């Protein structure tokens, strides 16, 4: 069973479109995250949610809107896609802060903007 | 300033040899955690090993060990008996503070294992 699953794995779309990436975890974790990995492989956190509550919101354009319908799901919606949004987006989950729990990552969604 | 520095963009090692991947960090927090992740060419991120700032012993997980030198603020990953399947990108990451849950990543080291 996949612990953290993201769909789709690949997303190719045109500038200006709106798209969503879905993430689900079956680990029973309380905290979920979105990270962006750029073309140079640099990983940076975008958002984190703990029990459906937004905890971390880095300096991300407000075209990016995370939504957590329940603690097992964290989706990422992106409006008005731009060329610079091309990247790999990773969802992750953990048991949360305060303990040395690792973050478990999904396989990533490769977003390509034409 | 970089919080996590990985100075080796690429490393080569022969199969069955040991290799050390360097990681230095910068924080003023007393409580923090250090992680290593592996990213094979297939793209997924795989957790390898964790070291807490208060852990007195170096962490070990199978062929992976973490050489933690707190005074030098370094947390190097040692892979013993390298295998061809160890070829991948390796990322060092830090979580600052007990209650902040943000991982800060280094730029990664690409390890290539040759026969």
């Amino acid at each position: 069973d996949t612990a953290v699953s993201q769909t789709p794995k690949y997303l190719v779309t045109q500038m200006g479109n709106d798209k969503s990436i879905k993430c689900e975890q079956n680990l029973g974790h309380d905290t979920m995250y979105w990270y962006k990995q750029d073309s140079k492989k640099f990983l940076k956190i975008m958002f984190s949610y703990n029990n459906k509550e937004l905890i971390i919101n880095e300096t991300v354009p407000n075209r990016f809107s995370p939504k957590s319908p329940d603690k097992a799901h964290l989706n990422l919606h992106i409006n008005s896609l731009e060329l610079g949004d091309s990247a790999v987006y990773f969802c992750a989950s953990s048991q949360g802060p305060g303990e040395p729990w690792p973050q478990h990552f999904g396989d990533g969604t490769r977003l390509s903007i034409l | 300033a970089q919080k996590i520095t990985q100075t080796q963009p690429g490393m080569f090692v022969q199969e069955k040899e040991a290799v050390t991947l360097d990681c230095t960090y910068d924080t003023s927090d007393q409580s923090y955690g250090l992680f290593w992740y592996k990213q094979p060419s297939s793209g997924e991120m795989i957790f390898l090993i964790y070291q807490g700032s208060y852990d007195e012993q170096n962490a070990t997980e199978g062929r992976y060990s973490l050489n933690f030198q707190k005074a030098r603020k370094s947390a190097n990953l040692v892979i013993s008996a390298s295998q061809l399947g160890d070829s991948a990108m390796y990322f060092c990451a830090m979580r600052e503070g007990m209650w902040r849950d943000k991982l800060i990543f280094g730029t990664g080291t690409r390890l290539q294992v040759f026969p």
Side-chain angles (χ1 to χ4, degrees):
Chain A
D1 280 344
T2 305
V4 182
S5 59
Q6 298 178 225
T7 53
K9 192 169 173 65
Y10 299 97
L11 190 49
V12 181
T13 189
Q14 293 195 328
M15 250 187 351
N17 284 351
D18 303 338
K19 289 292 177 187
S20 292
I21 307 171
K22 295 187 174 183
C23 179
E24 176 182 2
Q25 55 97 2
N26 63 6
L27 297 167
H29 289 165
D30 288 337
T31 308
M32 296 184 73
Y33 316 80
W34 279 109
Y35 285 84
K36 178 180 180 180
Q37 186 174 41
D38 64 23
S39 58
K40 295 183 179 178
K41 299 286 191 182
F42 185 63
L43 264 157
K44 192 170 192 299
I45 191 165
M46 300 171 70
F47 303 103
S48 81
Y49 270 74
N50 182 268
N51 264 322
K52 302 194 298 175
E53 183 184 343
L54 181 65
I55 302 296
I56 293 173
N57 184 348
E58 291 291 289
T59 50
V60 176
N62 58 15
R63 297 182 295 104
F64 290 79
S65 52
K67 283 191 172 49
S68 181
D70 55 61
K71 74 174 193 177
H73 295 84
L74 180 62
N75 303 325
L76 183 66
H77 188 76
I78 316 169
N79 288 330
S80 304
L81 281 156
E82 300 177 358
L83 289 175
D85 298 333
S86 294
V88 181
Y89 292 86
F90 284 97
C91 177
S93 74
S94 81
Q95 295 192 38
E99 296 289 345
W101 308 122
Q103 294 181 13
H104 297 270
F105 285 74
D107 287 348
T109 295
R110 184 175 294 277
L111 174 62
S112 299
I113 310 300
L114 303 177
Chain B
Q2 289 283 353
K3 292 267 187 178
I4 294 283
T5 302
Q6 294 181 253
T7 57
Q8 307 153 314
M11 289 282 285
F12 287 89
V13 66
Q14 193 166 28
E15 211 177 355
K16 298 179 187 172
E17 297 294 310
V19 63
T20 297
L21 306 183
D22 294 342
C23 173
T24 57
Y25 59 92
D26 181 25
T27 182
S28 55
D29 283 352
Q30 295 301 307
S31 174
Y32 52 88
L34 297 155
F35 301 79
W36 277 91
Y37 284 84
K38 172 184 178 182
Q39 187 176 37
S41 57
S42 47
E44 70 269 32
M45 293 286 290
I46 302 166
F47 165 70
L48 295 178
I49 197 166
Y50 166 82
Q51 180 85 41
S53 57
Y54 293 119
D55 295 341
E56 294 186 351
Q57 292 199 330
N58 287 341
T60 59
E61 288 286 349
R63 294 185 300 110
Y64 304 109
S65 60
L66 204 152
N67 183 358
F68 181 47
Q69 297 187 43
K70 196 169 179 176
R72 297 180 62 184
K73 293 191 173 177
S74 75
N76 299 338
L77 177 70
V78 181
I79 305 174
S80 62
S82 297
Q83 301 172 355
L84 294 177
D86 294 335
S87 294
M89 282 287 287
Y90 288 81
F91 292 95
C92 180
M94 175 174 64
R95 184 172 62 213
E96 290 184 294
M98 199 62 158
W99 295 102
R100 295 191 66 196
D101 202 19
K102 180 171 76 171
L103 278 183
I104 302 166
F105 283 85
T107 49
T109 295
R110 181 172 295 282
L111 175 67
Q112 296 191 56
V113 182
F114 60 93

